[in-house]
């Protein structure tokens, strides 16, 4: 089992990563029981609860029948105020008090919703995350952000509310849809791309094992990814500086997702395409060379991620970029790189350069 600590200003918390962590006789389950001595409510979704609620109950030393839970329909469409209200009502129905706990069992949608409910119920109660998607393990469960969507846009409501404990049992990934698994890998590649050339090489040398979801390799890549995110978050908890580096590929990716009305591509897939566009923009600006873009493209493709942008006009993609808070009359803000492992924030990138990258669609000769 890997264990790492996320250091936040007010209170840090441990992340436990490995196989068999929900095994009732193991050390992780013991730690979990230590965090949940009293009443709790499990929040999960319709895909995850039938598979893992029983295992979680056993790890907590309780029967499933006596474990209060609320099971929401699965998917982003349910990260809403209505689901949030349902969780709060369930908290009250289960008689939770200030020293009781919410447990999120699921992907990023459940983690964000349950975390925000924990931040709000009785002005804040404790919260444990049991992420069951790769994206939730390497990204959304680290850093303390919680939230939900409004009709007007994604993640418009939320709070910083760190969990007390994150327990990432790699075994739960065995039932995750292949596309969802690959989408999580895009964020893993991102950490290597922005900060860790050694990790990039390590991933490139283990593509077959990663694609086969080898438990030891997956546990290690989750651990390294969490370490990177935790380090950046510890340096910049409230997103004043460095944390922006985590948006490598995201400005392009978000523009693609928005243009497609969030249908057709998963977030990680859009980020994969966006990272390659960021690498190509870096090339155009003379910050990095073509060999780095080619290595990034090769790794993303080997992991089964898309790298060719969908047919969308550059003007359509430039629209949301121009509305970005960090855009000025002189240009746009991007996270670019000097090559693998060396990301940096670049302001005032000329719109014409971005347009040229967006117009580049087919594979390179
Ligand atoms: N808080 C943050 O810092 C942060 C960071 C990144 C993303 N997010 C949020 O995370 C969300 C995306 O998370 P996600 O990709 O985990 O999506 P998700 O929670 O919707 O899960 C994806 C799908 O996989 C299913 N699933 C989950 N675990 C499974 C398992 N082990 N076996 C079988 N099926 C399983 C779910 O039911 C769902 O259908 C978005 O809402 C995004 O805004 C938050």
């Amino acid at each position: 089992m890997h264990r790492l600590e996320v250091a936040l200003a007010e209170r840090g918390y441990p992340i436990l990563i490995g196989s068999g962590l929900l095994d009732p006789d193991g050390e992780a389950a013991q730690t979990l029981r230590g965090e949940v001595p009293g009443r709790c409510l499990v929040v999960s979704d319709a895909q995850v609860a039938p598979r893992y609620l029983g295992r979680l109950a056993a790890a907590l030393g309780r029967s499933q029948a006596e474990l209060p839970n609320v099971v929401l329909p699965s998917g982003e469409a349910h990260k809403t105020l209505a689901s949030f209200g349902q969780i709060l009502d369930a908290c009250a129905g289960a008689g939770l008090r200030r020293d009781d706990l919410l447990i999120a069992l699921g992907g990023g949608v459940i983690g964000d919703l349950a975390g925000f409910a924990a931040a709000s119920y009785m002005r804040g109660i404790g919260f444990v995350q049991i992420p069951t998607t790769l994206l939730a393990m390497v990204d959304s469960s680290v850093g303390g952000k919680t939230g939900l969507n409004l009709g007007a846009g994604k993640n418009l409501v939320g709070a910083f509310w760190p969990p007390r404990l994150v327990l990432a049992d790699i075994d739960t990934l065995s039932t995750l849809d292949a596309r969802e698994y690959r989408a999580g890998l895009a964020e893993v590649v991102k950490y290597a791309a922005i900060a860790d050339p050694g990790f990039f090489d390590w991933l490139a040398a283990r593509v077959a094992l990663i694609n086969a979801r080898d438990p030891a390799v997956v546990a290690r890549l989750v651990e390294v990814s969490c370490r990177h995110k935790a380090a950046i978050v510890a340096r910049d908890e409230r997103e004043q500086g460095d944390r922006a580096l985590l948006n490598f590929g995201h400005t392009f990716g978000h523009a693609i997702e928005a243009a497609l009305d969030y249908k057709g591509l998963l977030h990680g897939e859009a980020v994969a395409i966006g990272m390659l566009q960021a690498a190509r923009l870096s090339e155009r600006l003379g910050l990095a060379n073509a060999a780095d873009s080619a290595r990034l493209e090769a790794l993303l493709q080997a992991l089964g991620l898309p790298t060719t942008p969908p047919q969308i006009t550059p003007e359509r993609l430039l629209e949301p970029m121009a509305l970005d808070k960090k855009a000025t009359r002189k240009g746009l803000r991007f996270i670019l790189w000097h090559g693998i492992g060396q990301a940096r924030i670049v302001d005032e990138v000329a719109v014409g350069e971005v347009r040229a990258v967006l117009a580049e669609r087919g594979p390179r000769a």
Side-chain angles (χ1 to χ4, degrees), residues 45-48 51-52 72-77 79 105-112 129 131-137 139-147 149 154-155 169 171-177 180 183-184 187 229 243 250 266-268:
D45 78 22
Q47 297 288 333
V48 177
R51 294 178 166 103
Y52 300 110
L72 302 165
S74 82
E76 186 72 30
K79 208 172 97 170
L105 174 69
V109 166
I110 291 299
D112 276 8
Q129 288 241 43
T132 62
T133 65
L134 185 57
L135 180 122
M137 289 183 189
D139 190 354
S140 59
S141 67
V142 191
K145 282 208 253 176
T146 70
N149 305 328
K154 286 185 55 158
N155 297 323
D169 187 337
D171 297 348
T172 60
L173 297 180
S174 65
T175 55
L176 187 64
D177 174 76
E180 295 284 355
E187 301 289 348
K229 180 152 183 190
R243 197 161 173 165
H250 283 62
L266 295 176
H267 174 68

Side-chain angles (χ1 to χ4, degrees), residues 300-348:
L300 293 169
Q301 288 179 350
L303 296 172
L305 284 158
T307 51
T308 306
Q311 288 278 7
I312 304 167
T313 62
E315 292 316 318
R316 181 89 200 276
L317 295 167
L318 281 166
E319 238 171 72
M321 295 181 192
L323 291 176
D324 187 278
K325 288 191 288 294
K326 301 289 190 311
T328 65
R329 243 176 304 142
K330 288 188 184 152
L332 309 174
R333 164 177 282 198
F334 279 90
I335 310 306
L336 301 178
W337 72 0
H338 289 297
I340 291 160
Q342 300 176 68
R344 57 170 277 205
I345 301 169
V346 181
D347 281 311
E348 302 183 350

Side-chain angles (χ1 to χ4, degrees), residues 79-304:
K79 208 172 97 170
T80 57
L81 274 170
S83 300
F84 171 70
Q86 210 177 319
I87 300 171
L88 295 180
D89 282 339
C91 288
L96 294 200
R97 292 177 312 231
R98 286 218 58 184
D99 51 354
D100 295 326
L101 222 111
L102 269 185
I103 302 180
L105 174 69
V109 166
I110 291 299
D112 276 8
L113 271 173
F116 187 49
S120 317
Y121 183 70
M122 297 208 168
R123 299 201 182 83
I125 64 172
F127 159 56
V128 167
Q129 288 241 43
I130 307 196
T132 62
T133 65
L134 185 57
L135 180 122
M137 289 183 189
V138 301
D139 190 354
S140 59
S141 67
V142 191
K145 282 208 253 176
T146 70
L148 50 81
N149 305 328
L150 296 181
K154 286 185 55 158
N155 297 323
L156 288 181
V157 180
F160 283 92
W161 194 253
R164 299 240 175 107
L165 168 74
V166 177
L167 191 155
D169 187 337
I170 300 302
D171 297 348
T172 60
L173 297 180
S174 65
T175 55
L176 187 64
D177 174 76
R179 221 176 135 194
E180 295 284 355
Y181 175 72
R182 290 195 293 263
L185 288 175
E187 301 289 348
V188 174
V189 172
K190 181 190 75 182
Y191 297 116
I194 63 174
D196 193 343
F199 185 39
F200 193 97
D201 293 342
W202 187 92
L203 293 169
R206 284 166 185 77
V207 162
L209 290 168
I210 296 169
N211 289 340
R213 308 190 199 186
D214 176 87
V217 168
V218 175
R220 176 79 182 136
L221 68 80
V222 170
E223 190 238 344
V224 176
S225 299
C226 289
R227 225 176 257 293
H228 279 296
K229 180 152 183 190
I232 291 180
V233 165
R235 286 205 300 273
D236 181 18
E237 208 175 312
R238 299 280 165 156
E239 279 189 89
Q240 316 285 314
D242 251 18
R243 197 161 173 165
L245 297 179
L246 295 170
N247 288 332
F248 183 65
H250 283 62
T251 307
F252 287 110
H254 282 149
I256 294 171
E257 285 186 282
L260 297 175
D261 203 15
Y262 298 94
K263 295 184 186 93
L265 279 182
L266 295 176
H267 174 68
E269 294 171 334
V271 166
I273 295 167
M275 285 193 288
L276 194 60
Q277 290 178 315
R280 292 192 169 156
L281 181 56
S282 307
E283 263 181 67
R284 280 195 72 83
L285 299 176
L287 300 172
N289 58 48
D292 286 310
S293 308
R295 288 187 64 209
L296 177 62
E297 183 172 23
L299 179 57
L300 293 169
Q301 288 179 350
L303 296 172

